[in-house]
Amino acid sequence: MSAMGPAQRVTIVAARHREAVALVAAEGAGAEIGVLCVEEDGKDGRAALDRALADAERRGCKVVGSPRTVGTQDGGDALLRELRALRPQRVRLADPDPVHVSYDKERDVPVHDEPPENADSALAALAAAREHQLESGVPVFVDCHRAGADGQPGTAPQPRYPHPAHWLTEGFDGRLSAFLPSAAGVVRWTQREPGGAAWQGPELLPGPRLMPGLRVVRDAHGFPHLFALRRTPLKGGGEDVAVVRATQYRTGHPLTPWHSLGSPNPGHQHRSREVGFPTAAFDAAGGLFVFVRNFGHSVSYRHQGADGVWTPWQHLSGVRVADELVTVTTAGGGVELFARARDSAAVLRWYRSGPDGAWTEDRSVPFSPRPGSLAAGPEPGTVLFRDARTNEPCVWWPGATGPVPLGGADDGAGPVTGVRGVEADGWSYSLLVRSGPGGACAVGVYAEGRADAGVWWNALAADSAVMPAVVRDRAGVVTLATLVAGSQLGLSHRESPSDGFDFDIWHTA
């Protein structure tokens, strides 16, 4: 049980019992797990799921009832009825848009190494979760898991949509906003007054049919820009998945309409479904770069100049990449891209020699990250990751001979993020935040620019159902945010704006 409340209720939906095994294994201690299977399975599949559930109970989960088999013959109503009864705060699914392993040119269709009913079941469950959230008014958060990590067999299933990292952000007026993706769209919490303790939310923001992922990028003026993927039906059958963007110009007020940026493979009922999740960054001139992995497993991007004009999608040639891209803005104001390789443990970097220079691919990046752990560092041009062998958080920047270990090698997972410019005793520090063992929130501190001098880590008494977030506002106040049981926003503040790194007790918004 979390220090913030009762155990989180998790419902796992899979095509058959055997497909639910990996999803059960990915669940951390303390959750209440219910399992729904769309189709009946054979004896071996049922036995494998029983063993996985028994293992989950041994590591501290509570299994709610026996796995139930439901069908989709009634248009998904059976799934919706089960979700109404289970009332999950979180739903775990397979990948609704799995990555192809080859292509059948004669039939013009991609070839996958898993049965199509896995994706069909995920889409049916996602539709039921959306409907349940709209009925109940309570956020339902969704994790879609790939069948395996790109190019690294045997590793744990990776998310189809990356964990939101910088989902807590300061607006133009100094108030904070928290944005998270849910089954029915983006939910938002809003601070009522700058630096105040009162918040409103969660509020479901109007918008199109988004997939359950979100990227939040703040521009130089303090406006948060939201990037996601939107699914729409095609006239000739199938569905198209496109990158979309919306902006919040007034804290607590409606977003702009979601604007489609399209995709590198538009209008094709198979190819467009595999567009990767977008990453984005602004350069010093106010230009915006948006990057995605395309159907061919390389990188495509669009650029919006400071005048608002967009380029078409353009292609970066080079090594094939996994769907794990990270942008960083350098000290000089340029944008660089990091991507985990698809067929090896390497990382690729793209950079430009100047604002109008051509993109150069750098294959000499000297580290191998654990899948799902790449993130932009708090200092310009730096990238954070977990070491593929040790799981230890590390930082690297171009020009460094090797990564700098940050300590804290534990059974935590996911990216590490942070903020810079945290003042204490006349010195400036960078503050990191990550998920620790069992989902606990951990905070680390080091002298800005001197990660090699050592990091001091402290675990905080709260578990986070998502990657914890941190922000330093214009007044110097540092705020941590988590998502706690009951789909509530958990918050903690640094006790002193200029002395020490102690945080006050957690409270819910």
Side-chain angles (χ1 to χ4, degrees), residues 77-458:
D77 286 349
L79 273 173
L80 179 56
R81 288 193 296 270
E82 293 291 344
L83 292 180
R84 287 169 178 157
L86 291 169
R87 296 179 296 113
Q89 283 115 29
R90 197 160 209 92
V91 176
R92 291 196 185 275
L93 309 172
D95 187 351
D97 298 307
V99 176
H100 69 286
V101 294
S102 61
Y103 202 81
D104 186 332
K105 294 184 179 179
E106 292 185 3
R107 298 170 55 221
D108 192 27
V109 295
V111 177
H112 299 92
D113 60 356
E114 56 182 288
E117 51 265 32
N118 287 3
D120 294 341
S121 298
L123 288 170
L126 184 54
R130 285 192 185 105
E131 186 62 30
H132 174 57
Q133 178 173 338
L134 293 173
E135 285 182 355
S136 67
V138 178
V140 178
F141 299 96
V142 179
D143 296 302
C144 297
H145 293 265
R146 298 188 186 281
D150 290 320
Q152 297 190 31
T155 57
Q158 295 301 306
R160 170 63 169 91
Y161 312 103
H163 299 289
H166 302 283
W167 52 271
L168 181 68
T169 184
E170 182 184 21
F172 181 78
D173 64 352
R175 289 191 291 160
L176 304 184
S177 299
F179 301 95
L180 282 173
S182 72
V186 177
V187 292
R188 178 181 68 186
W189 290 262
T190 305
Q191 190 179 39
R192 294 185 182 274
E193 299 290 340
W199 288 65
Q200 61 187 33
E203 168 193 11
L204 178 63
L205 300 178
R209 185 184 173 191
L210 302 178
M211 303 309 288
L214 188 67
R215 186 89 65 182
V216 181
V217 180
R218 188 171 180 264
D219 66 21
H221 303 291
F223 301 126
H225 299 253
L226 279 57
F227 296 86
L229 293 177
R230 177 177 68 191
R231 181 185 295 274
T232 54
L234 292 169
K235 292 182 179 179
E239 292 184 301
D240 183 70
V241 178
V243 179
V244 291
R245 169 202 181 193
T247 305
Q248 177 180 276
Y249 287 112
R250 297 182 65 191
T251 306
H253 288 256
L255 305 177
T256 64
W258 288 87
H259 169 67
S260 176
L261 302 183
S263 81
N265 309 104
H268 192 288
Q269 63 175 317
H270 300 300
R271 297 187 184 204
S272 68
R273 285 184 59 179
E274 289 191 35
V275 61
F277 202 80
T279 186
F282 289 90
D283 62 19
L288 171 63
F289 289 88
V290 180
F291 302 88
V292 297
R293 187 222 57 201
N294 57 41
F295 182 79
H297 302 296
S298 56
V299 175
S300 295
Y301 76 96
R302 290 191 71 180
H303 174 244
Q304 183 186 38
D307 58 1
V309 177
W310 283 97
T311 67
W313 285 102
Q314 300 176 71
H315 179 69
L316 291 180
S317 61
V319 175
R320 297 200 308 171
V321 300
D323 187 12
E324 188 172 352
L325 312 181
V326 168
T327 49
V328 301
T329 302
T330 67
V335 170
E336 297 188 352
L337 174 71
F338 291 83
R340 187 169 58 82
R342 171 176 169 78
D343 301 315
S344 72
V347 167
L348 292 310
R349 168 181 166 248
W350 283 266
Y351 65 94
R352 300 191 300 170
S353 57
D356 299 318
W359 289 97
T360 298
E361 183 192 46
D362 176 11
R363 302 187 185 184
S364 64
V365 178
F367 65 83
S368 297
R370 182 156 293 196
S373 69
L374 278 178
E379 290 142 346
T382 61
V383 62
L384 294 163
F385 63 96
R386 290 177 182 265
D387 183 82
R389 295 165 299 174
T390 66
N391 198 44
E392 182 175 8
C394 299
V395 63
W396 184 80
W397 56 92
T401 57
V404 176
L406 301 175
D410 52 36
D411 62 352
V416 180
T417 62
V419 293
R420 60 188 291 231
V422 180
E423 300 294 329
D425 300 323
W427 295 85
S428 185
Y429 292 83
S430 289
L431 186 144
L432 305 177
V433 63
R434 61 179 171 85
S435 293
C441 178
V443 170
V445 178
Y446 64 88
E448 191 171 324
R450 290 300 313 275
D452 57 332
V455 180
W456 298 270
W457 288 101
N458 288 300

Side-chain angles (χ1 to χ4, degrees), residues 17-18 21 41-51:
H17 294 69
R18 69 191 69 188
V21 171
D41 205 350
K43 180 179 178 181
D44 291 344
R46 293 194 299 271
L49 179 55
D50 288 341
R51 290 193 296 270

